[in-house]
Amino acid sequence: MNILILGSGGREHAIAWKIKQSPLCKKLYIAPGNAGTGLCGENININPTDFIKTGQFVKEKKIDILVVGPEEPLVKGIADYFSNNEELKNTAVIGPDSYSAKLEGSKDFAKSFMNKYKIPTSKYKSFNNETLDEGLEFLRSLNPPYVLKADGLAAGKGVLICKTLQEAQSYLKKMINERMFGSASDCVVIEEYLNGTELSVFIATDGENYIQLPEAKDYKRIGEGETGPNTGGMGCVSPVPTANKPFMEKVRKRIIEPTIEGLINENFDYKGFLFFGLMNVNGEPYVIEYNVRLGDPEAEVILPRIDSDFVQLLKHISNKTLNQYKVEIRKDFAATIMLASEGYPGKYEKGLDINNADSIKNSIVFYAGVKQQNDTLKTSGGRVMAITSLDSSLEKAVSKSISNAEIIDFKGKYYRKDIGNDLIQ
Ligand code: AMP
Ligand code: GLY
């Protein structure tokens, strides 16, 4: 089969790495990809939101499966573009249509879906330009901290957690009146703060059946001990020991199954991955957000734990036969540590030489912000590479990744040394 992956991060390198292992994969392309995906297949210079060029390429190269990595092309309707085109409608698109992708693309839409299907989530209300005064008043009725969310996609930056009422009111005005996140904050969801620990849960679904994939814990803040500003994710582990059987049973019964029931009831055209961002509050799961894709860096620990052929999984998603598929998961622990550029998530320099990345033997190095220039690797993003290790204990997996994080070298390299520490007894 010929397969095209859209995206250019560590997640897409992990997807490419996994797909490449399948004997079913004949030719693999990644658009636009990065230096890491270039090791697994052929990178092509197409922007994932350029549907016309993507469609032309798919026709020309007789692509059988299109795997959409990031959310933006999904929310903008790439699956609809394919299903509405005579020559493209037989390509298997892994990713939901734009209406279903609103589960990620609109926080207000996701919240009302959860309420309709009685899926546990924090209480909320949404406000816009016409109801700003009510929003300011509503904030008065809540206890701090205050959670303000831009309704639309805001490159992962649209959530503000404010300690004081004044700060929250001031940001609400900035979001709505001054369009702090552009049109994404024309509508703002204000919700109750949930105090607990976060967990990323994943399923693959064909819209009717689902299979559960390994769960993961993402370490989102830049500083050790979860301090400082939020990032795209500085490290990840899987499995998560606190996600024990009774907890995961609640997740299945109260969250995954009602969500699938909702997809069916609402006639959603959903074929792909669904990511539940959960908060564990004293043993009770709540949904913080839905994402309509795999996570990054979650994919970098989940995919190495899957033993089964990934292309088979994609075929079953597309053929709506996931009920006939069983995924084999390795018992090993996986840990990934993200090497970041100095200054990230603020300003940082690009184009710095990376040394020793190819000398790592006992970990998998997934490239994120890495460019190949002649024979050298250069940094090209804030998150540069994810070093994933598998081992029989979390401690061993983390320590392998840390040893290798020390070997890879570029100016100003930064990484967290405490990934997984909270879970290691
Ligand atoms: P989101 O983009 O919805 O995942 O939000 C980004 C981050 O904000 C989450 O990963 C949480 O750390 C935090 N967050 C979001 N919603 C809440 C909430 N209701 N209570 C506490 N923290 C939250
Ligand atoms: N790691 C969180 C995300 O991919 O949204």
Side-chain angles (χ1 to χ4, degrees), residues 167-354:
E167 193 189 348
Q169 289 185 322
S170 152
Y171 273 119
L172 182 64
K173 286 187 220 158
K174 278 194 187 137
M175 287 170 94
I176 293 178
N177 281 345
E178 295 169 31
R179 306 187 93 194
M180 187 175 165
F181 298 105
S183 59
S185 62
D186 283 348
C187 169
V188 173
V189 169
I190 300 177
E191 66 179 40
E192 222 175 25
Y193 181 81
L194 296 172
N195 197 1
T197 54
E198 286 182 57
L199 180 73
S200 304
V201 167
F202 296 87
I203 60 168
T205 180
D206 58 20
E208 279 175 27
N209 311 290
Y210 77 92
I211 56 157
Q212 219 173 309
L213 299 175
E215 78 285 352
K217 177 167 178 177
D218 178 16
Y219 293 77
K220 289 192 172 156
R221 303 293 188 104
I222 190 72
E224 295 189 358
E226 283 298 286
T227 52
N230 245 326
T231 70
M234 293 300 296
C236 222
V237 302
S238 174
V240 184
T242 50
N244 54 22
K245 267 205 171 142
F247 182 76
M248 291 309 282
E249 197 48 38
K250 288 180 192 170
V251 171
R252 248 186 312 277
K253 285 260 146 54
R254 299 180 194 169
I255 292 169
I256 299 177
E257 281 166 15
T259 299
I260 296 289
E261 187 197 320
L263 300 185
I264 297 170
N265 252 355
E266 305 289 322
N267 273 322
F268 279 13
D269 187 3
Y270 204 117
K271 287 178 174 175
F273 300 101
L274 182 53
F275 165 173
F276 303 83
L278 304 183
M279 190 73 89
N280 177 341
V281 183
N282 300 321
E284 306 301 322
Y286 291 82
V287 179
I288 302 181
E289 61 168 354
Y290 286 118
N291 296 309
V292 295
R293 53 177 169 82
L294 289 175
D296 191 352
E298 285 92 337
E300 289 95 305
V301 290
I302 289 170
L303 297 179
R305 289 194 59 223
I306 297 179
D307 253 346
S308 316
D309 186 312
F310 199 64
V311 178
Q312 282 284 8
L313 169 65
L314 303 179
K315 275 178 65 183
H316 281 286
I317 293 174
S318 162
N319 296 339
K320 271 192 176 267
T321 49
L322 266 184
N323 52 335
Q324 295 166 27
Y325 181 80
K326 197 171 174 303
V327 67
E328 299 294 334
I329 306 294
R330 290 172 70 146
K331 291 264 182 290
D332 286 339
F333 282 84
T336 202
I337 290 184
M338 193 63 81
L339 304 184
S341 298
E342 183 176 17
Y344 174 78
K347 272 196 175 160
Y348 55 85
E349 215 181 316
K350 291 184 191 174
L352 303 170
D353 284 4
I354 305 170

Side-chain angles (χ1 to χ4, degrees), residues 8-275:
S8 59
R11 166 183 51 211
E12 286 73 24
H13 186 184
I15 296 171
W17 169 87
K18 186 68 187 149
I19 286 179
K20 182 74 191 144
Q21 293 167 31
S22 168
L24 295 171
C25 174
K26 195 166 97 194
K27 192 88 179 96
L28 178 63
Y29 301 93
I30 309 92
N34 64 27
T37 61
L39 302 171
C40 309
E42 187 179 332
N43 289 339
I44 50 157
N45 190 16
I46 295 177
N47 183 324
T49 54
D50 189 337
F51 300 167
I52 296 173
K53 277 202 180 139
T54 305
Q56 280 165 349
F57 184 84
V58 163
K59 280 186 252 173
E60 190 191 319
K61 299 290 180 187
K62 301 192 167 41
I63 299 294
D64 302 289
I65 306 181
L66 176 72
V67 185
V68 187
E71 63 280 13
E72 199 188 353
L74 295 168
V75 172
K76 290 190 169 158
I78 193 157
D80 316 63
Y81 181 81
F82 271 63
S83 64
N84 290 328
N85 184 307
E86 272 309 309
E87 291 171 279
L88 296 171
K89 68 178 187 197
N90 293 325
T91 309
V93 178
I94 305 299
D97 72 346
S98 65
Y99 188 74
S100 320
K102 283 170 83 170
L103 286 174
E104 175 165 3
S106 164
K107 303 265 187 204
D108 180 61
F109 179 88
K111 280 290 202 180
S112 76
F113 176 90
M114 288 184 249
N115 278 356
K116 183 165 177 188
Y117 291 95
K118 301 196 167 40
I119 294 160
T121 187
S122 59
K123 290 200 190 75
Y124 83 107
K125 270 191 176 173
S126 300
F127 301 94
N128 60 25
N129 198 17
E130 279 160 24
T131 54
L132 175 61
D133 288 339
E134 290 164 44
L136 296 170
E137 205 45 48
F138 179 65
L139 281 169
R140 280 182 190 283
S141 71
L142 301 176
N143 294 320
Y146 305 88
V147 183
L148 271 54
K149 298 186 172 183
D151 174 57
L153 291 186
K157 296 188 173 68
V159 176
L160 300 176
I161 300 193
C162 305
K163 292 204 178 84
T164 67
L165 177 63
Q166 272 151 330
E167 193 189 348
Q169 289 185 322
S170 152
Y171 273 119
L172 182 64
K173 286 187 220 158
K174 278 194 187 137
M175 287 170 94
I176 293 178
N177 281 345
E178 295 169 31
R179 306 187 93 194
M180 187 175 165
F181 298 105
S183 59
S185 62
D186 283 348
C187 169
V188 173
V189 169
I190 300 177
E191 66 179 40
E192 222 175 25
Y193 181 81
L194 296 172
N195 197 1
T197 54
E198 286 182 57
L199 180 73
S200 304
V201 167
F202 296 87
I203 60 168
T205 180
D206 58 20
E208 279 175 27
N209 311 290
Y210 77 92
I211 56 157
Q212 219 173 309
L213 299 175
E215 78 285 352
K217 177 167 178 177
D218 178 16
Y219 293 77
K220 289 192 172 156
R221 303 293 188 104
I222 190 72
E224 295 189 358
E226 283 298 286
T227 52
N230 245 326
T231 70
M234 293 300 296
C236 222
V237 302
S238 174
V240 184
T242 50
N244 54 22
K245 267 205 171 142
F247 182 76
M248 291 309 282
E249 197 48 38
K250 288 180 192 170
V251 171
R252 248 186 312 277
K253 285 260 146 54
R254 299 180 194 169
I255 292 169
I256 299 177
E257 281 166 15
T259 299
I260 296 289
E261 187 197 320
L263 300 185
I264 297 170
N265 252 355
E266 305 289 322
N267 273 322
F268 279 13
D269 187 3
Y270 204 117
K271 287 178 174 175
F273 300 101
L274 182 53
F275 165 173

